[in-house]
Amino acid sequence: MKLYNKVDRRILKAQLAQNNLERITLSYYKYYQLGNPIFFRDYLYLKYLDLGVMGRVYVAKEGVNAQISVPKTNWEQFMVVHSQITFLQDNRLNIAREDNGKSFYKLKIKVRPKIVADGLNDKTFDVTNGGKHLDAKSFNALTDKEKETVIVDMRNHYESEIGHFKNALKPDVDTFRDSLPIVLESLKDEKDKNIVMYCTGGIRCEKASAWFKHQGFEKVYQLDGGIIEYARQVEEEGLENKFIGKNFVFDERLGERISNEVIAQCHQCGKPCDTHTNCKNEACHLLFIQCATCADQFDGCCSANCQSIYHLPEDEQRELRKGKVEKRNVFKKGRSEVLKFKK
C-alpha cells in the first residue's frame, strides 16, 4: 500500500485546476501524548487517502496539527473517521470562510519532533497551563480596556502585514520561534496588564501562553480558535469586527478576507494590495504581495531576472536549479532586496 504521494506536483496542480469538485477546507490541532506517532501517521494517511482528503498534517509525540480539504460528498464519512479517533472526538474543526476548493492539491502527512516548531524545552515548564480562552465577545470586551490590555499577534510579519487586530503588538519576525523572545522583551514592563494573544487557528497561542505564564505573567489570555473562529462568531452573532484586512492561511489560497480594508501594498509598485503569491520562477518561489498589474508585467515573478529565467525552456531551468535547492527563497517570506515596497 502506497503511504505517500509519488505524482509530480505540477501534474497534481493541473488536475486540481480542472476539477470542480466541491471541497471543504478546514484546520484542527490537538496537543495529546501519542505513544506511536509513526503508527498514527500511517493510520491517518490510509483513512484520509480513501476519502480523497488533501492537505498537510504534522504528527508528533505531542499531538497532531492539520490543514486539509475534504470532498463535500465525503464529509459525513470524514466526520465518522474523525469521531473514531478518541482524542479528537470533541475537538473543534476550524472551517474556512472562503473556499474555492483549490486549497490543497495533494495529501502530505509527516512525523515531526513537534507539531509547531517553537524552539522551547517543554520539560522546563507546564505546557498544559495555558492562558484563559476567550470567545469573540469576551475578546472584544477585554480589548476595549486599552489601558489595561496588550494585544499580541503571535504570527509572522508576512501574516500581520495583510491583516491584524486593531492596536496589536506585531513582532517583525519570520517564524514563531523568533517571536517568543522578542515579544517577551517587548512586554517586560507590562506584567501587570492583561496579555491577550491571538494567531490563525489558536495552536501557537496554546504553547506561547503557557510559556509566558512560566515567565511570570499572571493575566494571560488567548483567542479561542484564533482569527478563523473569531470571524465566524462575529458574523453569526453580529458582533463588532476588530480585525482589519485579510487572514493569511497556509495553503494555496494564501488568505481569506475578514474585513474590506486593504492595509498592505504591492511589493513591486506600492499600490494598495493584499494578494500574496509565490514567484513563478521555481528556483526562487519567494512569497510576496503582487497586484494584478504587476502580475501581468512580471508574469507572476518577483523581478525581471526571475521573469527571464521563468521563460527559459524547462530543461534549461532545471540545469540552473541543479545543486541550488538551498538557495530557493520559499522560506524568506517577503524579504528580498528586489521588493522595493516591502514595509
Side-chain angles (χ1 to χ4, degrees), residues 142-182:
L142 190 59
T143 56
D144 277 341
K145 303 175 182 178
E146 295 183 12
K147 293 183 179 180
E148 304 171 24
T149 303
V150 180
I151 309 170
V152 184
D153 192 327
M154 295 307 303
R155 302 174 304 152
N156 307 319
H157 74 92
Y158 54 90
E159 299 174 80
S160 60
E161 183 176 10
I162 62 170
H164 54 79
F165 280 104
K166 299 172 185 176
N167 302 317
L169 171 66
K170 306 179 294 296
D172 184 24
V173 296
D174 293 342
T175 67
F176 176 51
R177 179 198 301 260
D178 294 337
S179 71
L180 293 169
I182 290 176

Side-chain angles (χ1 to χ4, degrees), residues 12 16-17 44 49 59 62 73 110 114 128 164 183 194 198 212 251 257 268 274 279 291 297 299 315 324 340:
L12 293 174
L16 182 64
L44 205 60
L49 186 67
V59 176
E62 67 176 4
T73 52
K110 290 188 173 183
K114 290 191 174 187
T128 66
H164 54 79
V183 172
N194 302 312
Y198 72 89
F212 272 82
D251 58 57
R257 187 157 298 286
Q268 291 175 307
D274 55 11
C279 180
C291 69
Q297 180 182 346
D299 295 314
D315 57 343
K324 297 181 179 180
K340 297 180 181 179

